Amino acid sequence: MPMQERLDRIIAAGLAAAKTSEGRSRIDCIQFCHAGYAEPGYDDPRSGVIAFGNWNDVSKWNEAEHKFETTDDAPGRIAKLLEKLGAELEWSDEWLFCDDCGKAVRTSPTSYRWKQSYSEIDGSISCCDCIAQDPTDYLQSLEGNSRRCVTLDIDLAENGYVLLEDGFENGFHYGQDADPTLIGKALEDQGIERFIFCLDSTGQFDIAFSVWVHQDELAKVDENAWANSAKDGPSVAEGLQRALQDASRKMAELPAHGINVATCDVGTGTARVRTVSPQDFLDGKALDD
Ligand SMILES: [Zn+2]
């Protein structure tokens, strides 16, 4: 039997077996990708099929017995059947698909070392393989933007950019306060618009980055003004310390046995705290407002 027919049969069986509308909806939303991965470190499965979905069984919090109980195990059973067929299973909320070639791109970090390997320009997704064929649009989309940076392995010098300065650090250790907004502003003050930030490394608590200028605008750089420009923002470490202190003060006022979540805002040095219901926690809504 052709692969697609087998997949269709499994989905149909799952829809028929599902006991809840939530279970049916999860099975209905399963997507298959036959184009493979465009994510460093991932090998394509031998079956050629990657399946994306929410594979968790549907569970409900039982307040009287104080525990979760499964109300629909169809999604989990479908996952097992697909795995048996050789499909690689992924979580659908962690992936998107390249609009050019259809390959799967990861949107959610796997570790602190992870870097985004795709671009999203005007809502259109391009994978690292497609961008590598001609990075011009990708690079131009990042020019003059202090909120975004190059996260792909692209030779910027080969593409017409000149390194202005590297070694910038932003993070939770004292002194790691380089602020791309201030750096971008310093360049704009010199009439430079074609600058690009590049993420050079990611650590557990910090990142390092560099700034590059397109060769067409290199002559505009005033070395003296650049050297004297403010590039550091307020202390990140100090903001974090104040936010953590605020969090522990506020956490102490919440019920001791609840699921309590604190969100620290390093910029203002404050924290928001809230108690999350077990159901919201299970549904992945702990961080939503
Ligand atoms: Zn692609």
Side-chain angles (χ1 to χ4, degrees):
M1 198 192 298
M3 184 56 108
Q4 190 57 51
E5 208 176 317
R6 292 191 197 188
L7 296 173
D8 290 344
R9 281 193 184 198
I10 291 178
I11 296 299
L15 287 172
K19 295 186 205 76
T20 62
S21 60
E22 173 60 25
R24 262 190 300 282
S25 143
R26 283 186 197 179
I27 292 165
D28 225 13
C29 289
I30 293 172
Q31 281 180 288
F32 296 109
C33 169
H34 304 275
Y37 293 104
E39 175 72 15
Y42 280 76
D43 294 323
D44 295 335
R46 215 183 296 170
S47 68
V49 180
I50 315 168
F52 298 83
N54 178 351
W55 313 109
N56 285 323
D57 291 336
V58 182
S59 299
K60 260 210 153 64
W61 177 249
N62 183 327
E63 189 59 45
E65 297 193 27
H66 217 69
K67 62 172 193 187
F68 286 108
E69 52 191 27
T70 301
T71 51
D72 194 347
D73 65 354
R77 280 162 59 199
I78 292 302
K80 284 201 187 81
L81 288 174
L82 292 171
E83 253 178 345
K84 241 186 198 167
L85 210 58
E88 193 71 40
L89 302 189
E90 300 292 355
W91 297 92
S92 52
D93 58 353
E94 297 179 346
W95 296 82
L96 286 172
F97 303 99
C98 175
D99 285 315
D100 298 319
C101 70
K103 286 184 187 170
V105 299
R106 192 169 176 93
T107 57
S108 171
T110 49
S111 75
Y112 61 78
R113 294 206 179 280
W114 182 86
K115 291 189 209 176
Q116 181 176 317
S117 290
Y118 67 94
S119 73
E120 186 170 0
I121 303 171
D122 300 330
S124 170
I125 306 294
S126 296
C127 74
C128 52
D129 296 344
C130 288
I131 294 170
Q133 289 172 23
D134 181 6
T136 313
D137 285 352
Y138 169 68
L139 294 174
Q140 282 182 0
S141 78
L142 300 174
E143 284 183 0
N145 193 328
S146 302
R147 303 289 306 166
R148 299 179 65 200
C149 62
V150 176
T151 56
L152 276 69
D153 208 5
I154 292 175
D155 189 329
L156 290 175
E158 220 168 70
N159 285 280
Y161 298 85
V162 179
L163 177 65
L164 185 62
E165 189 169 335
D166 60 2
F168 291 116
E169 291 181 345
N170 187 287
F172 294 156
H173 300 290
Y174 278 93
Q176 295 183 319
D177 303 323
D179 183 346
T181 313
L182 291 178
I183 294 166
K185 170 127 194 345
L187 291 169
E188 280 163 12
D189 286 348
Q190 297 189 21
I192 297 162
E193 290 169 353
R194 301 194 66 184
F195 59 88
I196 278 191
F197 286 99
C198 181
L199 181 61
D200 296 318
S201 75
T202 56
Q204 195 164 7
F205 301 114
D206 54 9
I207 56 163
F209 62 95
S210 51
V211 66
W212 299 64
V213 173
H214 194 272
Q215 58 195 21
D216 289 356
E217 290 195 331
L218 198 63
K220 290 186 187 174
V221 176
D222 176 339
E223 293 286 351
N224 210 20
W226 171 247
N228 290 312
S229 304
K231 302 179 186 94
D232 281 356
S235 171
V236 177
E238 201 255 335
L240 177 66
Q241 189 179 354
R242 280 192 291 127
L244 287 171
Q245 283 165 348
D246 191 38
S248 51
R249 250 193 315 271
K250 289 175 177 164
M251 282 291 230
E253 289 161 20
L254 295 180
H257 297 293
I259 303 170
N260 301 327
V261 178
T263 312
C264 290
D265 182 335
V266 172
T268 60
T270 59
R272 282 180 305 122
V273 299
R274 60 194 283 257
T275 300
V276 183
S277 74
Q279 189 67 52
D280 276 355
F281 187 75
L282 181 76
D283 292 341
K285 293 178 186 161
L287 292 178
D288 294 353
D289 268 317

